[in-house]
Amino acid sequence: MKYRMEGPLLVAVADDESIMTESHEYYVDIEIKGELTRGYSLVDVNNKLDQKPNVRVCEAIDRDKFKEDLLISMNSH
């Protein structure tokens, strides 16, 4: 069974960026007018909009380090 770990992973990376093994900077915008899809996140991975990147996106992690840090954190409380 697969589990979604976005929340714990976000906290782990905020605490220790070395968990990220690959990241890239992109321009990201959020659709708020509802013209396309309200709340849609547009990530311009190919820089077609020619905008300055405003977000760094984590694309790969050290899974073993993440699991180890998560277990240490859970066992310390």
Side-chain angles (χ1 to χ4, degrees):
M1 174 182 271
K2 290 187 177 184
Y3 296 97
R4 296 183 65 116
M5 297 294 288
E6 294 93 348
L9 181 57
L10 175 66
V11 172
V13 169
D15 181 57
D16 181 2
E17 289 188 5
S18 72
I19 291 173
M20 285 192 295
T21 58
E22 184 179 353
S23 67
H24 295 94
E25 293 186 355
Y26 300 114
Y27 174 74
V28 175
D29 198 5
I30 309 297
E31 171 63 55
I32 59 172
K33 296 177 186 173
E35 293 174 6
L36 299 172
T37 303
R38 187 179 181 128
Y40 175 82
S41 298
L42 171 99
V43 182
D44 187 9
V45 297
N46 296 314
N47 197 28
K48 291 194 182 269
L49 298 175
D50 198 30
Q51 296 288 323
K52 180 179 175 183
N54 59 356
V55 173
R56 183 170 59 150
V57 177
C58 174
E59 303 212 31
I61 63 164
D62 180 335
R63 290 174 180 249
D64 292 332
K65 181 168 179 40
F66 170 64
K67 288 177 188 178
E68 179 182 326
D69 289 355
L70 182 62
L71 290 173
I72 289 170
S73 175
M74 291 172 62
N75 288 326
S76 69
H77 296 286

